[in-house]
Amino acid sequence: MRAPLLLLAAPSRESNDKAEHFAAAAEALDVPARILVAQTPEQIMIMAAREPYRYALACSDAFAAPAAALNERARQSACGAALTAALVDKGRGIPMLSVLLDLPMLPQCVPLTPDDLLAWPYAGPLIAKPTRSAGGWSPRPWGYRRFESARGFLDWLAAESLTADFFAEQQRPGQLGPVLMQAAIDNDHVEVASLLLASAGATVICRGYGLFQPHDEAGHGRHWIRALYHADAAPDLAERLPRLAGLIGQAPGWGHGVLHVQGIRAETGFYLTDINLRISTAWDWLMGVADPSFHRRLLASLLFGESFDPAWPAPAMAIDLVYGLPDRGRTELRFPPPGESILPWRMQVEAGDHRRDGFDRAGQVPSFVTLGSDEADCIRRADAFRADCVRAGIASADAPEQAA
């Protein structure tokens, strides 16, 4: 039996969708694939030890380090375990990559005691981010909250009787790592780009921006509502990321893989805010319906060294999430038929408790892809269909349900 490709997935829609897409791509390449689903990196390593494998691909941030360790064990030319552990930790990865890309860095610190925060020279607004988690949700009450100052954060902890819990977790962190306090920038747009590092060279897979809005709970995180991609987006990232190809074989740990980077623009410059060693969920969903060959081409480059064609199916593309619709469990609402250049992805509203299932919140709402001739055309088409979805979704939810 040929050794399979291992797809390391968490028990979430986002992770499962990536794994399913890459499993289909592997089948198209006549490569056996096995999806491993687990809660923790330790469980993944135990499951992976049961049989030979040829390559491990992380479909969740939580499993980037296990994938690197498994690829080292299999003597694959992927990024090493030590480098991967540093990159996926915001406290270490953001400073490291900011230097390599010649970008300024936002003030940030990982406080272990109240005195660490009081001694931090930065005095402006900040956001509390888990160091090893992506997105805008955390299971802890302080995760992704914004505060006006370090003192304001300490006062909030005291008022909520959370001071002891917070600093105990900082000193003995769980799977999501300790919390990073980072300067907050008032901008609802983030710029994103993904880089493929393979033996055939370095290729910018995608470049775009994400549009975010606050959760319903004041001050507690944000969720993305649109990711839009076009050839002029994220210029700082698209220009600088290919430089990393020069590190392969020259700097310890650098090898083949996918690097997805997020940053935010302010009057004082462009700053990195997040790093993932996987393709983004938005891009995975978008290409899953707009160009199903993407995952196959990416896998062929990683496994066989084939050159990667970065061509897109349209000059501008977006994926939208439609929040604000009535919750009817897993029942599909009656939405308008997709117009020209609209590709439905998951057109249903699913019940869920975002306080418990927060990592899956994006998968619980309707979403669709828009193809456009340019950025303005894409936005116009997406805005029109989004408005139609809201009107039709509310109307169908108010209508009596038909008898089975």
Side-chain angles (χ1 to χ4, degrees):
M1 174 183 283
R2 291 178 296 159
L5 166 71
L6 296 184
L7 300 167
L8 314 185
S12 70
R13 292 172 184 81
E14 296 187 13
S15 188
N16 182 71
D17 288 339
K18 294 183 186 73
E20 293 288 351
H21 286 153
F22 279 116
E27 182 178 4
L29 293 170
D30 194 28
V31 173
R34 182 177 172 216
I35 299 175
L36 305 184
V37 181
Q39 292 279 0
T40 68
E42 293 76 16
Q43 291 172 346
I44 281 287
M45 294 301 289
I46 292 172
M47 296 168 71
R50 295 174 183 167
E51 64 181 69
Y53 59 90
R54 65 177 298 164
Y55 190 87
L57 188 65
C59 300
S60 166
D61 291 311
F63 300 141
L70 290 168
N71 285 328
E72 276 192 350
R73 183 187 299 173
R75 293 183 170 84
Q76 293 289 338
S77 57
C79 285
L83 175 65
T84 296
L87 286 173
V88 299
D89 182 328
K90 294 184 182 73
R92 294 186 290 161
I94 290 176
M96 177 193 303
L97 204 56
S98 295
V99 170
L100 291 173
L101 299 180
D102 193 24
L103 290 170
M105 198 177 84
L106 287 172
Q108 63 179 50
C109 78
V110 179
L112 301 182
T113 68
D115 287 342
D116 290 341
L117 273 176
L118 294 174
W120 189 23
Y122 176 70
L126 55 86
I127 186 169
K129 297 181 175 182
T131 52
R132 301 189 202 119
S133 174
W137 182 85
S138 166
R140 308 303 288 139
W142 47 75
Y144 290 101
R145 282 189 181 270
R146 178 192 166 111
F147 301 90
E148 290 309 308
S149 65
R151 168 56 71 183
F153 173 63
L154 291 173
D155 290 345
W156 178 83
L157 288 177
E160 298 291 327
S161 300
L162 292 171
T163 302
D165 289 346
F166 175 79
F167 286 105
E169 291 192 21
Q170 287 294 92
Q171 296 177 35
R172 294 180 297 278
Q175 184 173 329
L176 299 183
V179 165
L180 170 80
M181 312 305 293
Q182 188 180 71
I185 300 295
D186 291 322
N187 192 338
D188 58 7
H189 287 67
V190 297
E191 299 182 29
V192 299
S194 293
L195 181 75
L196 169 64
L197 290 169
S199 56
T203 307
V204 175
I205 299 171
C206 68
R207 51 191 296 185
Y209 66 81
L211 177 62
F212 284 75
Q213 70 180 22
H215 286 322
D216 296 336
E217 300 173 64
H220 194 187
R222 305 179 302 165
H223 52 228
W224 64 276
I225 61 173
R226 172 177 292 162
L228 192 148
Y229 304 89
H230 59 86
D232 296 320
D236 294 275
L237 294 176
E239 175 190 344
R240 288 172 165 80
L241 280 174
R243 302 176 190 174
L244 299 178
L247 297 174
I248 297 178
Q250 303 298 319
W254 283 92
H256 301 157
V258 174
L259 182 70
H260 179 72
V261 181
Q262 176 178 298
I264 194 164
R265 193 169 299 280
E267 292 182 0
T268 50
F270 179 77
Y271 304 92
L272 297 185
T273 56
D274 208 354
I275 301 168
N276 310 109
L277 298 183
R278 55 162 176 79
I279 63 171
S280 74
T281 295
W283 189 253
D284 174 68
W285 287 349
L286 187 153
M287 296 304 271
V289 292
D291 184 3
S293 75
F294 164 78
H295 295 80
R296 175 182 54 77
R297 291 183 285 117
L298 180 65
L299 206 54
S301 185
L302 287 174
L303 296 181
F304 306 126
E306 293 184 11
S307 60
F308 180 83
D309 180 2
W312 296 356
M317 305 182 294
I319 180 165
D320 279 61
L321 305 182
V322 186
Y323 287 92
L325 293 174
D327 185 347
R328 287 187 56 187
R330 295 179 183 273
T331 303
E332 289 196 15
L333 299 177
R334 292 191 293 275
F335 290 108
E340 183 183 359
S341 300
I342 300 293
L343 307 174
W345 165 241
R346 183 181 281 121
M347 297 304 291
Q348 62 190 39
V349 182
E350 296 190 4
D353 181 355
H354 71 268
R355 293 168 296 182
R356 179 173 54 86
D357 305 323
F359 289 117
D360 258 347
R361 194 172 189 188
Q364 295 170 353
V365 298
S367 50
F368 63 90
V369 168
T370 306
L371 307 181
S373 59
D374 55 31
E375 180 183 11
D377 178 59
C378 195
I379 291 173
R380 178 182 61 80
R381 293 176 185 272
D383 284 348
F385 189 68
R386 173 189 285 274
D388 288 345
C389 284
V390 172
R391 285 192 295 268
I394 292 175
S396 64
D398 290 340
E401 292 194 49
Q402 295 180 355

